[in-house]
Amino acid sequence: MVTGANQGIGLALVEGLAARLGSEDLVLLTGRNAQRVADAAALVAAAPGTRSRVAGRVLDVTDAGAVARLAGELGGRHGGVDIVVSNAVAPLTPDRPQSEQADEFIDVANGGTHAMLRSFAPVLRPGGRLLVVASSLGTLGHLDPRLHPLFDGVALEGVEQAVESWRAAIHAGTAEDLGWPRWINVASKVAQVAAVRAVAAQRRASDLADGTLVASVCPGLVDTRASRPWFDDFSQAKTPAQAAKDLLDFILPTPMDPEMYGELVRDGKVLR
């Protein structure tokens, strides 16, 4: 299952999974817009290289109840899920004040990540993969040291509290005075990585015993609609298909490398 999958990296991940998995497998493509989801699923299902079954499903990751219901449904109907990629992101553009865009962006990138981790970790099959697409910006080194205790070694509930405190500071106009970075994408990515580490810390022993992987992954600079407004030079950027191939090369091999468990990984290397 892939969220945010009707375009960009998400769609490329679905295409790659559908080409690499077998005819007995089901790849679930999810997104918020019913027509885009249906069109994307039909496109992948009809592609010459597709081997597995492909289905579309409307899912708004900001609706924690909907995420929980889908996880319960898949757990009941299929006995669990083998691969979950949390990839949904809301648009963020430089032409509007970030305070005006913060709520939607945080709700999707952070609230959605929290909901996916909380609901899909329990239905992950032994040996499965639960990955959050994040960024190398998610390392604590990109954050003011004053803020490190909010994310370093805390439980998922603590990460959620830190995110809401940050959100309140943005709306109060005090975020920068408190040390929060001006570009909200940075703090959002730090929180995503911290959330993954929090969930992984609770599951580590059992997951390592059965080869299950929970981690966050950085695809690098990818030429997508979301990244275009923020960067000028895309000469070294990956296409969504290239990024998806690299991510799938990391996701699919077995056995899992325990050094990667719970970490932020880029190009096969742990970022700290």
Side-chain angles (χ1 to χ4, degrees), residues 12-13 50 57 72 79 89 101 107 122 145 147 151 156 160 179 186 188 191 194 217-218 227 233 253 269:
L13 283 168
T50 294
R57 184 67 176 265
V89 65
Q101 307 175 71
D107 286 345
L147 302 172
F151 297 106
L156 181 57
E160 290 174 316
V186 175
S188 175
V217 289
C218 171
S227 60
D233 183 4
K269 298 180 180 179

Side-chain angles (χ1 to χ4, degrees), residues 71 84 115-125 130 199 203 207 212 214:
V84 179
M116 290 295 297
L117 289 168
R118 183 170 279 116
S119 293
F120 276 89
V123 299
L124 197 64
R125 285 195 185 110
L130 175 52
V199 171
R203 298 170 50 94
D207 282 351
T212 300
V214 176

Side-chain angles (χ1 to χ4, degrees), residues 10-105:
L11 178 58
L13 283 168
V14 170
E15 292 171 331
L17 285 166
R20 294 195 191 195
L21 300 178
S23 58
E24 72 282 6
D25 295 311
L26 171 65
V27 181
L28 194 61
L29 179 159
T30 73
R32 288 194 287 186
N33 183 286
Q35 188 61 57
R36 291 177 183 172
V37 166
D39 290 346
L43 178 69
V44 179
T50 294
R51 300 172 57 202
S52 67
R53 295 174 292 151
V54 180
R57 184 67 176 265
V58 174
L59 178 66
D60 182 350
V61 297
T62 68
D63 184 344
V67 173
R69 287 190 295 274
L70 180 57
E73 176 189 327
L74 297 178
R77 179 181 299 177
H78 301 286
V81 186
D82 296 293
I83 298 171
V84 179
V85 184
S86 179
N87 171 71
V89 65
L92 182 67
T93 60
D95 58 342
R96 293 169 53 209
Q98 292 190 46
S99 58
E100 294 180 3
Q101 307 175 71
D103 284 332
E104 182 183 9
F105 188 80

